[in-house]
Amino acid sequence: MSIAESAGAVVSPPSQPLSRDLVLEAAIRVADRGGAEAITMRKVAQELGVEAMSLYHHVPNKDAILDGVVDMVFAAIELPGAEHADWRETIRARAFSAREVLSRHNWALGLMDSRRDPGPATLRHHDAVLGVLRRAGFTLPMAAHAVSLIDSYIGGFVLQEANLPVMTPHDVEEVAGNILEHLPADELPYLTEMIVDHAMRPGYDYTSEFGYGLDLILDALEARRGPGGQT
């Protein structure tokens, strides 16, 4: 959909009958462009090329849309299965999937834990994650700690990544170069060292830090897994 259409210009009617899923998919597109606060009945209707009143045949109100888009986001994250023997590999794959999905829809981070009426995909997802941990021998308190720690890490990394002023190696070189121009190296030797000898080295990619940090968390949780672990 063009900018003109999303801004409220006349658009063609939807090519298929309106449904709840189509309404929620349109709401996600609206949020991807303008954040969760952009989701309104009027804007979603504009996205679909219909009158706002027609949405009420499929969703009762805006809260139902917010509940629904959160459930769709959870549904897009890889669901941990029971077939993998190594709990770390299973949870690691789920974490990378969550990061990838939330990087596309980072507006959802503020909604995912705030909704009071979680949908079926949300509930299945949480149950599956807990199931992996409990089958791996985590005590109930430690499973709760693990979920909180891992999800906080994923969400925090996604937010930090979304706000970084650099996206490519060229961006890193440009931003780091600008900082170095005004950086008193004698007064700030360790920061200078980090920029020159690490961030500006060929092949440096900040996004690889996600896997490193995640592995540290999983290793620490492994050490506390089981009845003998700390709670």
Side-chain angles (χ1 to χ4, degrees):
M1 177 170 288
S2 69
I3 293 176
E5 289 171 333
S6 63
V10 175
V11 295
S12 301
S15 57
Q16 52 185 309
L18 204 58
S19 67
R20 180 178 180 274
D21 282 352
L22 285 179
V23 171
L24 297 179
E25 289 166 3
I28 288 174
R29 294 194 298 273
V30 169
D32 285 344
R33 292 195 300 268
E37 64 275 9
I39 298 178
T40 65
M41 301 298 274
R42 180 179 61 83
K43 287 185 178 179
V44 173
Q46 287 177 349
E47 181 75 15
L48 290 163
V50 300
E51 295 295 330
M53 289 302 297
S54 63
L55 301 186
Y56 290 97
H57 296 292
H58 307 282
V59 287
N61 49 42
K62 178 181 173 179
D63 274 339
I65 291 182
L66 295 179
D67 289 339
V69 296
V70 166
D71 208 47
M72 276 196 159
V73 170
F74 267 110
I77 299 172
E78 179 180 329
L79 192 67
E83 64 275 9
H84 300 294
D86 190 335
W87 73 269
R88 282 175 296 193
E89 286 304 309
T90 305
I91 295 297
R92 195 175 195 274
R94 177 261 179 182
F96 270 88
S97 177
R99 176 204 173 191
E100 191 272 329
V101 170
L102 292 172
S103 292
R104 297 198 312 267
H105 311 297
N106 56 55
W107 51 266
L109 284 168
L111 292 177
M112 294 177 83
D113 293 323
S114 68
R115 307 311 300 164
R116 295 188 175 187
D117 188 19
T122 303
L123 298 174
R124 279 195 303 271
H125 188 92
H126 289 319
D127 186 75
V129 172
L130 289 169
V132 171
L133 297 171
R134 293 290 281 140
R135 287 191 298 272
F138 281 82
T139 64
L140 193 55
M142 275 306 302
H145 293 327
V147 169
S148 177
L149 178 59
I150 293 167
D151 285 359
S152 295
Y153 175 70
I154 295 168
F157 196 95
V158 168
L159 284 178
Q160 183 172 348
E161 199 171 21
N163 288 287
L164 283 176
V166 295
M167 296 297 291
T168 67
H170 174 74
D171 293 334
V172 172
E173 184 176 349
E174 182 179 357
V175 171
N178 290 338
I179 293 174
L180 284 174
E181 277 187 37
H182 309 287
L183 192 69
D186 292 341
E187 295 178 27
L188 305 172
Y190 300 110
L191 181 57
T192 301
E193 178 188 43
M194 177 62 71
I195 294 173
V196 174
D197 296 334
H198 186 66
M200 294 186 71
R201 289 184 64 119
Y204 172 73
D205 180 9
Y206 171 77
T207 61
S208 65
E209 298 289 350
F210 179 78
Y212 186 85
L214 179 63
D215 286 341
L216 288 179
I217 291 172
L218 297 179
D219 288 345
L221 290 172
E222 169 65 20
R224 298 192 176 197
R225 178 167 62 98
Q230 301 180 37
T231 59

